[in-house]
Amino acid sequence: AKQVMATDYEPLALSLTQYAATNLTQQAASPSRIEVGLLDICDFQTPLPKDFDLVVAADIMYEPKTGAAMAHRVVEALRNGCKVIVGDSPGRAGRPMFLQTLQELGVNGQVFQEAVGRTCSGPRHDLICGKGSTSVSETPQEMSVGIMCLLEPKILQG
């Protein structure tokens, strides 16, 4: 990608992302192509940036409120001509509301494709994998991950 922007509503998450992009990549000697920016998906007063081709969202549907907000952001991105990929773990409280809200907004027939992923291993900051996290382990373990690809803006009804 020529340009990548990582967003979060937590400044610390963005600091960790910027640190990793600058210091922990194979291209650490060259300037990072990753920009960071504050964005609360539940704050609809702040629009998504319009100059991107792809929106990737992962691990955000902890509550029904964020599931509904993500559905609105998916539709906003599709209307901006973006492709959207959403990844989420099964059983999260926000997933049913995400699917329901997508349908209410005219995006019908979209489902998560369940895939086998792996847990993270090694040290992680508590913000990323807090106590009791099921996505981190001493050695990588299989875990289920749901992926939804919304690649055509024409899937919007109306």
Side-chain angles (χ1 to χ4, degrees):
K2 290 182 182 179
Q3 183 181 8
V4 175
M5 175 179 265
T7 63
D8 202 298
Y9 69 98
E10 286 282 345
L12 179 57
L14 296 174
S15 294
L16 292 169
T17 300
Q18 190 67 64
Y19 176 85
T22 303
N23 299 293
L24 304 178
T25 64
Q26 292 177 350
Q27 300 168 344
S30 63
S32 173
R33 296 181 303 185
I34 298 178
E35 297 176 45
V36 296
L38 285 171
L39 178 70
D40 180 348
I41 64 166
C42 297
D43 174 10
F44 298 119
Q45 299 301 312
T46 304
L48 292 175
K50 292 188 179 190
D51 53 346
F52 290 92
D53 300 320
L54 176 66
V55 172
V56 179
D59 199 29
I60 59 170
M61 293 192 224
Y62 294 100
E63 341 175 327
K65 174 184 170 182
T66 55
M70 189 64 228
H72 283 274
R73 294 304 191 152
V74 163
V75 169
E76 180 182 358
L78 290 170
R79 287 189 175 135
N80 288 342
C82 289
K83 298 173 183 172
V84 181
I85 299 173
V86 179
D88 188 57
S89 300
R92 291 267 168 81
R95 192 190 275 203
M97 184 59 73
F98 171 74
L99 294 169
Q100 177 184 327
T101 305
L102 269 184
Q103 194 165 31
E104 290 169 0
L105 294 171
V107 180
N108 297 311
Q110 298 299 309
V111 296
F112 281 95
Q113 300 298 314
E114 301 303 326
V116 176
R118 293 213 171 265
T119 59
C120 299
S121 60
R124 296 285 184 265
H125 191 281
D126 282 348
L127 179 68
I128 308 300
C129 293
K131 292 179 177 73
S133 173
T134 58
S135 62
V136 68
S137 57
E138 297 261 339
T139 59
Q141 305 292 318
E142 287 188 356
M143 66 179 286
S144 182
V145 178
I147 306 291
M148 179 183 290
C149 296
L150 301 109
L151 303 178
E152 296 292 332
K154 65 183 178 187
I155 65 172
L156 284 169
Q157 307 294 316

